[in-house]
Amino acid sequence: MGEPLLSVRDLVKTFPGRRSRAGRAGAPIRAVDGVSFDLGAGETLGLVGESGCGKSTTGRMIVRLLDPTSGTVTFDGTEIGGLSQAQLRPHRRHLQMVFQDPYSSLNPRQTVARIISEPLLVQGTGAADARKRAAELMELVGLIPEHLDRYPHEFSGGQAQRIGIARSLATSPRLVIADEPVSALDVSIQAQVVNLMEQLQRELGLAYVFIAHDLSVVKRVCDRVAVMYLGRIVEIGDKAEVYGRPAHPYTKALLSAVPLPDPAAERARERIVLLGDPPSPANPPAGCGFHPRCPKAQEVCRTERPLLRIVGAGGAASGGAAAGGRQAACHFPEE
Ligand SMILES: Nc1ncnc2c1ncn2[C@@H]1O[C@H](COP(=O)(O)OP(=O)(O)OP(=O)(O)O)[C@@H](O)[C@H]1O
Ligand code: SF4
Ligand SMILES: [Mg+2]
């Protein structure tokens, strides 16, 4: 990768703890606890992990729907993590987000023309030009431009997600954070929306951070994948390496739950069942956050937190948190 388009370093988001019935403040929630990665122009990074591990919070901080507690977000050479909303405005058009639930992310009282053109109007585009561009975008995402004056409920879920994608593309962004963009859709429609996103990437040179639970969807779309657990990246690397030879026990467990297309292979393979739920980010375990559920945990795992380091080819060399190559945060990675 040359100069990255997006560079995230030590990103942290802490939410205030929930108050108890007695009114006492709970422990703060470290939703994102030091996330770092790079993303090149036109690339896709898959961000996966169980519910509550901090994927959406990470995505929302990158587009600054949430302010980071600490850490930096460098986009195209500018540190945007600490900019005010006014300072952010010129950068905003290059950073967009697509949300999981197509209906609740579209204003039901606005026409599709209004929804798609809003980011342009905010940037100062005139109403007539914005409408013309909205019609072009409808066509680009495979919808009928004549339907511009309809309302979101008049479209199916897959079509509504296409509207969300059209809206995200209105300002010709360079980076789209897609937060579970197909999870709410029927499987047959998922493939169509994923195809569309891939086609748009080829035509427009977009970079994606593609957030998902579903490892098979991510496998299809991403170049690299980052696996999150309890607010941290526990493994990151090229798709083929991470899927082919997972280094972190958590990645291995997640992958062992993905159904294989070949029934014989499915019967033969070992499934790793993770016991219990992930711990609360308000009260994370000492040492490795994964140790209470890890089949490989040793004494050191209970006390010493493993840092991300290069695994596989490159060996023991310690990389920066976002250096290239494959990295895993484990005292005993599979080599
Ligand atoms: N506004 C908030 N206030 C308090 N806690 C929050 C807030 N938003 C998120 N959290 C907590 O932060 C943690 C990470 O949440 P986040 O939504 O980023 O996870 P996620 O990986 O996107 O999960 P999912 O797969 O369910 O979408 C969770 O424990 C969540 O309860
Ligand atoms: S550091 Fe220990 S507990 Fe954590 S994933 Fe590695 S082996 Fe498991
Ligand atoms: Mg989420």
Side-chain angles (χ1 to χ4, degrees), residues 52 55-57 100 179-180 211 213:
K55 305 179 296 293
S56 297
T57 306
Q100 173 170 1
D179 190 357
E180 312 235 16
I211 297 174
H213 280 93

Side-chain angles (χ1 to χ4, degrees), residues 11-15 29-33 57 61 66-69:
L11 204 56
V12 172
K13 182 68 190 182
T14 308
F15 292 110
I29 299 161
R30 279 179 90 81
V32 175
D33 195 14
T57 306
M61 282 193 282
L66 275 176
D67 294 335
T69 303

